[in-house]
Amino acid sequence: MLEKAISDNGSRIDYKDMTKSLQQNLSKLQLKMKEKNLPVIIVFEGWGASGKGSLIADIIKMLDPRFFNVYSTLPGTETDRRYPLMKRFWENIPAKGKMAIMDRSWYQELAIARLEEGISEEEYDRRIESVNVFERQLTDDGYLIIKLFLHISRQEQKRRFIKLREDNSTKWRVTDTDKMRNKNYDTYYKQFDDMLKRTDTEYCHWRVIDTTDKQFTRFQLFNILVSQITNAVNSEPHYPIPADVTTMFPMQKTPLLSEVPLENKVLKPSKYPEELKKCQKQLAKLHGKIYKKKIPVVIAFEGWDAAGKGGAIKRLGAAFDPRGYEAVPVAAPEKYELNRHYLWRFWRKLPKTGHITIFDRTWYGRVMVEKLEGLTPEARCAMAYREIDEFERELTRSGVILIKFWMQIDKDEQLKRFNERMENPEKQWKITDEDWRNREKWDLYETAVNEMLEKTSTVYAPWTIVESNDKLYARIKVMNTVIDRLEEALKK
């Protein structure tokens, strides 16, 4: 791709007036972005001394500072490395109507990491896939991503380095790494070119600009920005046809909820204290071991209202060191959360290595309550199965142990528990009008859950259905399942 960099081919055109007009258009477009709730990400990648900083400065002069952020991407810190690769980039995606300008980006984890960190070819391939998935998920959600690679020749880069070093106020900008990359220009050229080709997708193309002529570069930059943002604000939402996830990902078959026997899944109350103590003692030991081994764990709970999620979470939490786990209750998203991709708020809550995060309800709200209550367009909900399977694959590939529970009760047991809550002043806060409304849609929810189980119970992130008509049995099954999964992970 680099050989096709856009250049002015030595023409003598004066681009100043044309550039000025484009700059004024960009300023006006920012208001239209806000009105249209269009989130925009502008990615600057390229060679050292290719002009990223000055071009970003040219852009922000034309923009209202309340509606954009500039991020300079440095190499990942030790703390960053304790989370899945894409977490720190998910955290910085802009809200609807706003812009994020990236002075380098997630692409530093690809070509540069391959050459300078020595990541394997296999890991490089995985990271390419992670980046392509990340960008596709955002563009499917309405984001506009404009990717710019600033290209210069080896000779031009060397000339600029010399000029920078001649001035005491700028010589600090030329590092030993810059010199090394210029010396090995051909090697980096080949790796950059491979990266660009493999991440130039139908939903997110690269624009490579030869920045030798600075006047032409500024014109080309603003021409690309104005053109792409204009097209985006004038376009209506388009949702691609959902992919068949059952053929894309390795699945583990789960039964229909109606096929799950509940009547014989009970535990005698007299045996419960002993079983509880044994499980919690074992979990405490395992927590210490996964902390030492730096294994991150995510435990996700879904289930019917009043199925016992809170009780199971409470017993798990009592076994873990409180310094090493967090329980995250998931309610309806706040306005600032609705203004971003729905997975954003879950990426932000992922545990670092050696820690545990327990989600009381999860990202599966997209294919249940949002779908059935009409809170999200049906076509957009249908796309979520693939996004969720990709999200969970990303977590497990990064070393996260992901344990998912569906707490299953029957309709009669739910009614019994609802009534008990209504009669108990200390538990009345647990029952809401929404719980009763959801109960009226039991059959619709059951159909949605069956589809969810079928399409998201993957080999790497299978569902465990917990028979929960008997609370004591359910709590012990949850703890034993977590014990088994952690022991299995430690053996590996």
Side-chain angles (χ1 to χ4, degrees), residues 2 44-56 58 103-104 108 148-153 156-161 164 173-174 178 181-182 185 192 208-215 217-218 221:
L2 290 176
F44 280 89
E45 291 288 348
W47 298 95
S50 59
K52 292 181 291 295
S54 60
L55 291 175
I56 290 172
D58 284 341
D103 179 5
R104 301 194 183 276
Q108 296 303 292
L148 304 162
F149 189 93
L150 307 185
H151 185 43
I152 50 176
S153 68
E156 176 64 17
Q157 184 186 48
K158 187 175 182 178
R159 185 189 68 77
R160 293 185 185 186
F161 282 165
L164 288 168
R173 292 170 56 185
V174 184
D178 290 326
R181 290 174 183 172
N182 181 258
Y185 183 94
F192 284 150
V208 181
I209 305 174
D210 183 339
T211 62
T212 303
D213 184 293
K214 294 183 179 180
Q215 189 182 117
T217 298
R218 292 179 70 250
L221 167 68

Side-chain angles (χ1 to χ4, degrees), residues 47-49 116 154 157-158 161-162 164-165 171-186 188:
W47 298 95
E116 297 178 7
R154 180 177 186 172
Q157 184 186 48
K158 187 175 182 178
F161 282 165
I162 292 172
L164 288 168
R165 290 202 304 270
K171 65 181 182 180
W172 63 270
R173 292 170 56 185
V174 184
T175 66
D176 290 340
T177 299
D178 290 326
K179 297 174 188 176
M180 180 272 295
R181 290 174 183 172
N182 181 258
K183 183 178 179 180
N184 296 280
Y185 183 94
D186 291 343
Y188 280 85

Side-chain angles (χ1 to χ4, degrees), residues 180-298:
M180 180 272 295
R181 290 174 183 172
N182 181 258
K183 183 178 179 180
N184 296 280
Y185 183 94
D186 291 343
T187 300
Y188 280 85
Y189 181 104
K190 182 178 178 181
Q191 195 69 59
F192 284 150
D193 200 49
D194 177 76
M195 177 186 76
L196 295 176
K197 287 175 180 175
R198 294 175 64 182
T199 57
D200 184 59
T201 57
E202 60 180 344
Y203 46 84
C204 203
H205 289 291
W206 278 103
R207 302 300 296 271
V208 181
I209 305 174
D210 183 339
T211 62
T212 303
D213 184 293
K214 294 183 179 180
Q215 189 182 117
F216 171 76
T217 298
R218 292 179 70 250
F219 164 74
Q220 191 61 42
L221 167 68
F222 284 101
N223 189 41
I224 291 169
L225 297 182
V226 169
S227 174
Q228 293 203 25
I229 295 174
T230 299
N231 288 339
V233 296
N234 290 331
S235 299
E236 294 302 319
H238 170 69
Y239 301 118
I241 298 173
D244 181 4
V245 295
T246 60
T247 62
M248 292 181 65
F249 305 94
M251 293 293 173
Q252 178 171 300
K253 187 172 177 57
T254 57
L256 298 173
L257 293 184
S258 60
E259 297 172 350
V260 177
L262 300 174
E263 58 276 2
N264 296 320
K265 304 296 182 178
V266 296
L267 178 67
K268 290 182 179 180
S270 59
K271 291 187 176 182
Y272 176 68
E274 180 183 352
E275 290 292 320
L276 178 65
K277 184 177 179 180
K278 181 177 73 173
C279 287
Q280 289 182 330
K281 184 177 180 180
Q282 200 166 355
L283 284 168
K285 290 180 179 178
L286 288 169
H287 192 190
K289 290 180 179 180
I290 68 164
Y291 181 80
K292 290 179 181 178
K293 293 284 188 180
K294 293 188 176 180
I295 301 172
V297 179
V298 171

